Every structure is written in structure tokens, then in C-alpha cells.
Amino acid sequence: MTTSALNPPAAVRTVTAEEIAAYRSAVRAELPVAKDELASPVHAFVLAHTVAERTVEALTADEPGPVSVVHLSQDIRCHRLVQPGETVTVRLEVLGARREARGTRVALRSRLTGDGAGGGDAHEDAEPFAELVTSALLVGATALEPFGDIAAGAAAPVPSGSGEPATTVHEPTAEWIRRYAHASGDENPIHLDEEAARAAGFDSVIAHGMSVVALAVEEITDRYADGDASRVRGIGGRFSAPVAPGEPLRVELQPDASGRVVRFTCRTPAGPAVKSGWVELELAEEAATENTKTSTASTEGTEAGTQTRNADRDGAGDDD
């Protein structure tokens, strides 16, 4: 295994307003139109996913037999949302690997930095706007030597008391799954083709695990963040079973007393599909304070620019 497999080259791409809108509208296909045009907090995973796929391919290049990937858990920490027109750099490292009965479990950490749609470069030491830790089982992988740490990210936030629980029921359709696949760029045949899904051991096509998480995040955003996706600061969950089209998906929400942490579980008639789920929100008063600071900084920057331009004009006049 080469060093490049453990620390693959950074990937750089510009995110368009169209793809941001397409992804969020695909997730919200059965929900009311979003109050804003912001990106989904889960879009950070979409941006990191291609790099993670290439890394897994490199890690398993020496395997003598076929290898399949099972997404076990996902942790996303959001400092802010990706912006339309922003150039994003994705840097990934493999944190560790551990041999298990069915294959090898790996942990990957992705850091996303951007230029804030300002046209500048995202330097390697820039502060990431999102950080992800992905845990996956490489079924059938036996050649990868154990190393490092596979701990699944930082600990989930601790709830403060209990608020009023809520439950909502959705029924994912094959069309919803197809639309999500195209919007996310994850067109694995098990999500789109019945024969491929059956060959992989499923009764039918299945929903993407992150589509289920993204749906729960949108429900939480609507109910507990006044529809403001920018207030989502963290997301986590463990995947335990597939979700097939046409079966009810029960999303159980348990906010804490402060409204900062909302735990969730997604269930099908067969049992939990996503468990130990959580979303951390910025409180409304904190968001208002942050917006005021941002607005003030923007105003001060504008005034400073005006003063500089005036000084330039005064200097030009003196030269005359």
C-alpha cells in the first residue's frame, strides 16, 4: 500500500448554484419548498464522496477477490455551508484500518476548505468549513494491514434535558431514490437497477443511506431551526439496515430542552435503518448575533474600501 493511498491528492472543484439547488430539492421532494436557497448541510458529504471512493479503490487495489463497501457511520461538523460559485478543496486522510470477520473496517477523515465564492485559493492550512469522519467496512478485504485509529470522530454532543418528541412518516419511492442518485452523483447500480440490487443481495433497489440522513436533517431544520439550514453545526448517525422503496420510513425526533441537540432514529417495518442519529443546531439568538457581526464586518469593509478609493482619487488629483 502506497503513501498516496493513505493521503490521496487534494481534489479541487467549483460548486454551482444549480447543483446545490438540485441536491437540496431532491432531498426535499416530498417536503415543502425550502425557505431559503442555501445548500443542504449534507452537501459537504457529496463533495467528499468522490475522493473517498477513489481512496477505497486504492486501498483495495491489491485484494485478490471482490470487495464491497458498507457505509457504517458518518460524522459531519459544519462551520458553515458551501456557497454557490465557491471553489472547494477536499483533502482526505485514512485514519486507520482494523481487520474484522467480514473484511476490514476503515476510518477516513475529509476536510473541506473553500474560497467563500471569492475567487481566492484555499490554502492547505486554511480553516476547513466542514470536516467529516466516515467509517466503512470493506467486505472481503484481507490484504490491508491494520494500522492507526478507527474511532468514529469526536463524541456526539450531550443533550440537555428532553423536549417534546415528534414523529413523521415518509414513503421513499424509486423515483425519489433515482433523483437523489443523479443529484448526488452516487449512481451505484444497487440504487438504480433491480437486477444489480438483487445480485448484491437485496430484494430491490435501496435508498442511499445519506439520503435518509439528509431527509431527517431537513425535517429537523424545518421543525427546530425555523427552516434555516445555516444553523446546522453537526450531524451524525450509524447505518444499520437498508431502506427499500414503497415501505414506510418512520423518522423519530427527540429534541433536548434547549433546542440545541436533536436526536433521531429512522425506522422501517424491519427495524432501525439509521440509529444513534443526532443534529447539533446553533440557537436562534446565537445565529442572530453571528449575523450581526458578519453584517458589521461587511459594512466596515465597505467603508474602508470607500475611504481607500477616496484617498486614491485625492492622490490622483494632487498629481495633476
Side-chain angles (χ1 to χ4, degrees), residues 202-215:
F202 302 106
D203 295 332
S204 68
V205 296
I206 61 171
H208 306 68
M210 288 306 292
S211 71
V212 178
V213 169
L215 179 60

Side-chain angles (χ1 to χ4, degrees), residues 157-242:
V158 178
S160 175
S162 295
E164 187 69 25
T167 299
T168 181
V169 179
H170 297 273
E171 190 171 298
T173 64
E175 177 57 31
W176 183 76
I177 295 171
R178 186 177 303 109
R179 185 175 175 185
Y180 183 91
H182 297 325
S184 67
D186 184 352
E187 299 184 342
N188 186 320
I190 64 173
H191 304 302
L192 300 169
D193 182 80
E194 292 284 350
E195 290 187 8
R198 283 193 288 270
F202 302 106
D203 295 332
S204 68
V205 296
I206 61 171
H208 306 68
M210 288 306 292
S211 71
V212 178
V213 169
L215 179 60
V217 171
E218 293 292 346
E219 284 281 7
I220 290 168
T221 299
D222 287 353
R223 291 170 181 265
Y224 305 107
D226 194 30
D228 183 358
S230 69
R231 286 175 53 191
V232 175
R233 286 290 171 264
I235 303 163
R238 295 163 54 198
F239 304 100
S240 54

